[in-house]
Amino acid sequence: MKWLSKFKENPKKTLLIFLGAMLIINLLQGLFTDLIFDEAYYWYFAQNLDWGYFDHPPMMALFIKISGLIFGGELGVRFFAPFLFAGSIYLTWLLIDSPKRDENILLFCAIAVALPLFNVYGFFMLPDTPLIFFGALFLYAYKRFLSSNAWVWVLLLGFSMAALMYSKYHAILLILGILISHPKLLLKFRFWVAILFSLLLFLPHLMWLYETEFYTLEYHIIERAKTNFKAGRVFEYIGGQLGARGFIFFFVFLALFKFKSRDRFQKGCKYVVFTALIFFLFSSFKRNTQPQWTIEVIVPLMVISFYYLIENVRFQKWFFRLALVNLAVILFARIALVKEGLLPINYEAHGNKTWVADLYEQSGGLPVVFENSYRDASMYAFYAGVDTYSANNIFYRKSQYDLDSTEMKMQGKKVVYVHKGSRPYDMKTFSAYKQRTLKGKIIDEFHSYRKLRCVIPLEVLSPNTADRIPLEIFNPYNEAIDLREEIIFHGFYLFENNKIAAGFTFIPEEMKNGESIIIGPNETLRLHFSLKTPSELKRIEMANELKKKEEDRRPASEIDEKYEKIKFFRVALSEYGIPPGFQGRRIAIDEQ
């Protein structure tokens, strides 16, 4: 077709038109699409800029903060996403060295526009959005570094590595993949200069980790729940990787396995992809692995796919056909994101303004404490403009709300305490949007002590010596706390995956005489308590089973097996009827 040939005649103009069109489309999409929960959570990060956050490094928070200084609303969160997306595509174009590159400009554009998951980051501002851009910049700097020792490329390489790590910790896989493909880099002086420069730039985050006692790494590496191997999770991971490429997955992965590298850069691209895919394959043995966790390899994957398709012209016709199918699905999904009701499922961007408005009206605009929902807390804060806090407990997971000082803002205030469960103190339904029912109660004077620290100063805990277990409690608050009046002590036995096996409440020995125990501001108090051993709890559980009807009883062997799997113990504290939090660190159980 003649109109297609005009695009091929001027590839630079075609690329600029394509990038400009994508930029405008993504800006409009970002403007008219309501926030998703993760974006609201990262917006909450940006309200207090720091060198790090509980879940991620700070790069996306920085972009959101600057966006918010320019615009309000959703675009005040997403403004930079379309520009980072366009920049990623342009840098990908620069990564390709082939005499056939310009004449295949339409093929390149088709690859870029037909990858479903890649296009999501054209308007959503998530950690992966800057990760993709800085990944492309890193590969560009590496490509130039291979052909020139000029200091500009050394410094750009170092900067891009630091920017990658400031975007997401997974970025280390990109750097590692390049090193595996070219280990002799470690013998180059200027490469070490690049590494030292990147470490210098990354030093503020490393200091932040140290100052927070590696709180976030401890959770994500040690405490985060892991489970036994399940083949189903592995197949879900593989299926997710195929689905993330849509109908063109066959050609993308065919290129990955069939394309033969001709230089160090092409080899590096392949190694980067395989490093990340294999790493997350093994990760899927122990935990659920989400498809977007490998999005960092999208740029090298695009490069490899382009090279393969221009060398195997026979595949291009079917590639374009399937790319059009992908594009049609993507366009429909984009419209459905804006127009609620086009899909049979209720997407997370839909309905949030409705339940937020309901809760705001029913609560009279009071500050809101959400139980176990950093997602709802941040979404409500964004759309309602009201102070919120997520009171996370041991039955859920930690979040940024456990790390920062947001809890302090709520102390002593009249608040609405909201949860999704069903408890005796459910007094009111504050919102009932579709399947989202928010219930709770008004607390005239809210207090919580999630930041109390409980440490058992032992190497391991032996249930055989269950009496007078030492417990040190540190009070970081600026007020004294009456432990007897305000705190209930809990002990929990945990499985290897940190899920709760059994629990009990206890009273420290020093408090059994009925006297108040006051712990002053920034003081550490040493108490002692007695364990209910796993064998005791097992006897209680078996006795309770015997009270049930015979057909409802669990087999004794099942209960035995449960208590044999116990690996850890931790202390937790509850206050004013709020379920216990994460005040105590886990300690290993002596298995001897």
Side-chain angles (χ1 to χ4, degrees), residues 386-409:
V386 172
D387 285 339
T388 61
Y389 172 61
S390 178
N392 304 320
N393 62 54
I394 198 168
F395 305 103
Y396 185 54
R397 55 151 286 186
K398 296 176 184 177
S399 73
Q400 178 63 19
Y401 288 93
D402 295 286
L403 184 59
D404 64 24
S405 60
T406 303
E407 179 196 36
M408 307 297 188
K409 296 180 181 179

Short mmCIF file of all heavy atoms in Angstrom, two decimals, residues 386-409:
data_model
loop_
_atom_site.label_atom_id
_atom_site.label_comp_id
_atom_site.label_asym_id
_atom_site.label_seq_id
_atom_site.Cartn_x
_atom_site.Cartn_y
_atom_site.Cartn_z
N VAL A 386 -8.59 13.28 53.54
CA VAL A 386 -8.72 13.11 54.99
C VAL A 386 -7.55 12.29 55.51
O VAL A 386 -7.06 11.39 54.82
CB VAL A 386 -10.06 12.42 55.33
CG1 VAL A 386 -10.14 12.06 56.80
CG2 VAL A 386 -11.23 13.31 54.95
N ASP A 387 -7.09 12.60 56.73
CA ASP A 387 -6.03 11.80 57.34
C ASP A 387 -6.48 10.36 57.53
O ASP A 387 -7.60 10.11 58.00
CB ASP A 387 -5.63 12.38 58.70
CG ASP A 387 -4.81 13.64 58.57
OD1 ASP A 387 -4.21 13.85 57.50
OD2 ASP A 387 -4.74 14.42 59.56
N THR A 388 -5.63 9.41 57.17
CA THR A 388 -5.94 8.00 57.33
C THR A 388 -4.74 7.27 57.91
O THR A 388 -3.62 7.78 57.91
CB THR A 388 -6.30 7.34 55.98
OG1 THR A 388 -5.18 7.44 55.10
CG2 THR A 388 -7.52 7.99 55.34
N TYR A 389 -5.02 6.06 58.36
CA TYR A 389 -3.96 5.20 58.91
C TYR A 389 -4.39 3.76 58.74
O TYR A 389 -5.58 3.44 58.86
CB TYR A 389 -3.74 5.53 60.39
CG TYR A 389 -2.82 4.57 61.12
CD1 TYR A 389 -1.50 4.42 60.71
CD2 TYR A 389 -3.27 3.84 62.22
CE1 TYR A 389 -0.64 3.54 61.38
CE2 TYR A 389 -2.42 2.97 62.89
CZ TYR A 389 -1.11 2.82 62.47
OH TYR A 389 -0.27 1.96 63.11
N SER A 390 -3.46 2.89 58.42
CA SER A 390 -3.74 1.46 58.32
C SER A 390 -3.16 0.76 59.55
O SER A 390 -1.94 0.69 59.70
CB SER A 390 -3.14 0.86 57.05
OG SER A 390 -3.38 -0.53 56.97
N ALA A 391 -4.04 0.29 60.44
CA ALA A 391 -3.60 -0.42 61.64
C ALA A 391 -3.45 -1.90 61.27
O ALA A 391 -4.40 -2.68 61.33
CB ALA A 391 -4.61 -0.25 62.77
N ASN A 392 -2.26 -2.28 60.87
CA ASN A 392 -2.01 -3.65 60.42
C ASN A 392 -1.78 -4.56 61.62
O ASN A 392 -1.17 -4.16 62.61
CB ASN A 392 -0.79 -3.69 59.51
CG ASN A 392 -0.93 -2.75 58.33
OD1 ASN A 392 -2.01 -2.64 57.75
ND2 ASN A 392 0.13 -2.06 57.98
N ASN A 393 -2.28 -5.78 61.52
CA ASN A 393 -2.08 -6.72 62.63
C ASN A 393 -1.42 -8.00 62.15
O ASN A 393 -1.19 -8.19 60.95
CB ASN A 393 -3.38 -6.98 63.38
CG ASN A 393 -4.46 -7.62 62.51
OD1 ASN A 393 -4.24 -8.64 61.89
ND2 ASN A 393 -5.64 -7.00 62.48
N ILE A 394 -1.14 -8.87 63.07
CA ILE A 394 -0.34 -10.06 62.81
C ILE A 394 -1.02 -11.04 61.85
O ILE A 394 -0.38 -11.93 61.31
CB ILE A 394 0.01 -10.76 64.15
CG1 ILE A 394 1.20 -11.72 63.96
CG2 ILE A 394 -1.22 -11.44 64.72
CD1 ILE A 394 1.76 -12.22 65.26
N PHE A 395 -2.30 -10.86 61.62
CA PHE A 395 -3.01 -11.74 60.69
C PHE A 395 -2.94 -11.22 59.25
O PHE A 395 -3.52 -11.80 58.35
CB PHE A 395 -4.47 -11.87 61.12
CG PHE A 395 -4.63 -12.34 62.54
CD1 PHE A 395 -4.97 -11.46 63.56
CD2 PHE A 395 -4.41 -13.67 62.87
CE1 PHE A 395 -5.09 -11.89 64.87
CE2 PHE A 395 -4.53 -14.11 64.17
CZ PHE A 395 -4.87 -13.22 65.18
N TYR A 396 -2.22 -10.11 59.06
CA TYR A 396 -2.15 -9.49 57.73
C TYR A 396 -0.68 -9.37 57.33
O TYR A 396 0.05 -10.35 57.39
CB TYR A 396 -2.85 -8.12 57.81
CG TYR A 396 -2.98 -7.37 56.51
CD1 TYR A 396 -3.54 -7.95 55.38
CD2 TYR A 396 -2.53 -6.05 56.42
CE1 TYR A 396 -3.68 -7.24 54.20
CE2 TYR A 396 -2.67 -5.33 55.24
CZ TYR A 396 -3.23 -5.94 54.14
OH TYR A 396 -3.35 -5.23 52.97
N ARG A 397 -0.24 -8.20 56.94
CA ARG A 397 1.14 -7.96 56.55
C ARG A 397 1.51 -6.53 56.91
O ARG A 397 0.68 -5.67 57.12
CB ARG A 397 1.34 -8.16 55.05
CG ARG A 397 0.43 -7.33 54.16
CD ARG A 397 1.05 -6.99 52.82
NE ARG A 397 2.07 -5.96 52.95
CZ ARG A 397 2.70 -5.40 51.91
NH1 ARG A 397 2.40 -5.79 50.68
NH2 ARG A 397 3.61 -4.46 52.08
N LYS A 398 2.82 -6.27 56.97
CA LYS A 398 3.30 -4.93 57.25
C LYS A 398 3.21 -4.06 55.99
O LYS A 398 3.11 -4.57 54.87
CB LYS A 398 4.75 -4.97 57.73
CG LYS A 398 4.96 -5.71 59.04
CD LYS A 398 6.45 -5.77 59.38
CE LYS A 398 6.70 -6.58 60.64
NZ LYS A 398 8.15 -6.71 60.95
N SER A 399 3.28 -2.75 56.20
CA SER A 399 3.29 -1.81 55.08
C SER A 399 4.02 -0.55 55.50
O SER A 399 4.56 -0.46 56.61
CB SER A 399 1.85 -1.47 54.64
OG SER A 399 1.23 -0.63 55.61
N GLN A 400 4.02 0.46 54.63
CA GLN A 400 4.66 1.73 54.94
C GLN A 400 4.09 2.36 56.20
O GLN A 400 4.78 3.08 56.92
CB GLN A 400 4.51 2.69 53.75
CG GLN A 400 5.10 4.07 53.95
CD GLN A 400 6.60 4.07 54.15
OE1 GLN A 400 7.28 3.11 53.80
NE2 GLN A 400 7.13 5.17 54.69
N TYR A 401 2.82 2.07 56.50
CA TYR A 401 2.19 2.63 57.69
C TYR A 401 2.84 2.12 58.98
O TYR A 401 2.74 2.76 60.02
CB TYR A 401 0.69 2.30 57.70
CG TYR A 401 -0.10 3.07 56.67
CD1 TYR A 401 -0.34 2.53 55.40
CD2 TYR A 401 -0.60 4.33 56.95
CE1 TYR A 401 -1.06 3.24 54.45
CE2 TYR A 401 -1.33 5.04 56.01
CZ TYR A 401 -1.54 4.49 54.75
OH TYR A 401 -2.25 5.20 53.81
N ASP A 402 3.50 0.96 58.91
CA ASP A 402 4.20 0.43 60.09
C ASP A 402 5.57 1.09 60.25
O ASP A 402 6.15 1.05 61.33
CB ASP A 402 4.39 -1.08 59.96
CG ASP A 402 3.08 -1.82 59.97
OD1 ASP A 402 2.47 -1.94 61.03
OD2 ASP A 402 2.65 -2.27 58.89
N LEU A 403 6.07 1.68 59.18
CA LEU A 403 7.42 2.24 59.20
C LEU A 403 7.44 3.73 59.50
O LEU A 403 8.31 4.22 60.21
CB LEU A 403 8.11 1.96 57.86
CG LEU A 403 9.57 2.37 57.72
CD1 LEU A 403 10.43 1.66 58.75
CD2 LEU A 403 10.06 2.06 56.31
N ASP A 404 6.48 4.46 58.95
CA ASP A 404 6.51 5.92 59.09
C ASP A 404 5.76 6.38 60.35
O ASP A 404 5.37 5.56 61.19
CB ASP A 404 5.97 6.60 57.83
CG ASP A 404 4.50 6.29 57.56
OD1 ASP A 404 3.78 5.96 58.52
OD2 ASP A 404 4.07 6.42 56.40
N SER A 405 5.57 7.67 60.46
CA SER A 405 4.99 8.25 61.68
C SER A 405 3.51 8.59 61.55
O SER A 405 2.98 9.35 62.36
CB SER A 405 5.77 9.51 62.07
OG SER A 405 5.71 10.47 61.02
N THR A 406 2.81 8.04 60.56
CA THR A 406 1.40 8.36 60.36
C THR A 406 0.56 8.04 61.60
O THR A 406 -0.39 8.76 61.92
CB THR A 406 0.85 7.60 59.14
OG1 THR A 406 1.63 7.92 58.00
CG2 THR A 406 -0.58 7.97 58.87
N GLU A 407 0.91 6.96 62.29
CA GLU A 407 0.16 6.57 63.48
C GLU A 407 0.10 7.72 64.50
O GLU A 407 -0.92 7.91 65.18
CB GLU A 407 0.81 5.35 64.11
CG GLU A 407 0.13 4.86 65.38
CD GLU A 407 1.01 3.92 66.19
OE1 GLU A 407 2.22 4.13 66.24
OE2 GLU A 407 0.46 2.98 66.78
N MET A 408 1.19 8.48 64.59
CA MET A 408 1.27 9.56 65.58
C MET A 408 0.18 10.61 65.35
O MET A 408 -0.31 11.22 66.29
CB MET A 408 2.64 10.22 65.54
CG MET A 408 3.82 9.28 65.67
SD MET A 408 3.87 8.40 67.24
CE MET A 408 5.48 7.60 67.14
N LYS A 409 -0.18 10.85 64.07
CA LYS A 409 -1.18 11.87 63.75
C LYS A 409 -2.57 11.51 64.29
O LYS A 409 -3.41 12.38 64.48
CB LYS A 409 -1.28 12.05 62.24
CG LYS A 409 -0.03 12.58 61.57
CD LYS A 409 -0.27 12.71 60.08
CE LYS A 409 0.96 13.21 59.35
NZ LYS A 409 0.72 13.32 57.88
#
